[in-house]
Amino acid sequence: MHASTLLLFSLSLLLSTLDAKIAKRPFGQTAQGKPVDLYTLTNKNGMEAAITNYGGIVVALKTADKQGRLADVVLGFDSLDGYKKEHPYFGALVGRYGNRIQKGQFALNGKTYKLANNNGPNALHGGLVGFDKVVWTAREVPPNRLELTHTSPDMHEGFPGNLNVKVTYTLTDANELQIDYEASTDKPTVLNLTNHSYFNLAGQGNGDVLKHQIRINADRFTPVDSTLIPTGELKAVKGTPFDFTQPHAIGERINQTSDEQIKFGGGYDHNFVLNKTGSGPALAAEVYEPTTGRVMQVLTTEPGVQFYTGNFLDGTLTGKQGKVYRKRYGFCLETQHFPDSPNRPEFPSVVLKPGETYRSTTIYRFSAR
Ligand code: BGC
């Protein structure tokens, strides 16, 4: 081969390896013997997102640090077996209703609906078999998208209406994992979809997240009672450990149990009321990890975000690569409507009616500095 042809050949080979791509491999099967797959999206910079159609779970997310070194920044398991056992929604799609509904009960058009109380006296994250435990129908949309669809039958987990849901994961060449949610129903219902990834920007399993610095674009939050149900108040963060309008280390005020809200949450486990500008995705939060320089921005069309600092992780779960997940080894930024909205007419509505389309977008954007 002529030298210049060889050069061209190797150059095109190099370029083709840098194109965004999607790969699929078997990831195991459910207890009922249903096979599930793992889809790995890679962008032109080498960033990777591995997602399974079991629960729509983000299994791995590899992003670059300030030296360009990739590390997996989400908690989870190496195989499907880990996800089939009890775990705190690592990486999962949560529905029909992300977060809590008081006493597992709500009324809609004069009818009372009863849900499973799977979190003390309350309902949490869609019930016993929520969207995190169903096998979604997957469709690869090359080069950079995974489309997941699911039909939730009328009265599944107590929620009315046959609900068609579509969630699209897109890994952009701007190092963003974008999640687009879409749904429609044939009866009035309530809906609050989110993703429950636990992040550690120093790399999953590499210690706690207390030195990460976070800014949250929220002047108010929704204080809770001792069962983590909002009291209805939208409280100013100013002068409280919840003021992240300027960046603060997550650990700086997390143990200030003289603050009743910190005490109730065992740290941060609260919904922040986002300062909204326009209707498109707006910056909800930015997190910076000083040792690796990784930065994650979260943008959303949702009115709120649950900032949860892994207070209930206790070292009993061993995750990817044998890493033990101890207290506060990960944080979540669950974009959402406010908890218990079905029982709070004063909160932004979570009602979806026939003929309407539910739409929501959240973007996790990564960089390093
Ligand atoms: C909740 C936490 C809960 C966690 C895992 C979060 O959304 O607010 O209280 O422990 O999910 O279920």
Side-chain angles (χ1 to χ4, degrees), residues 88-89 99-100 124-125 196 198 228 269 306 308 312 334:
Y89 302 85
N99 217 297
R100 292 174 175 80
L124 177 71
H125 293 337
H196 208 298
Y198 288 67
L228 302 185
D269 194 351
Q306 184 84 6
Y308 170 57
F312 295 116
E334 304 152 57

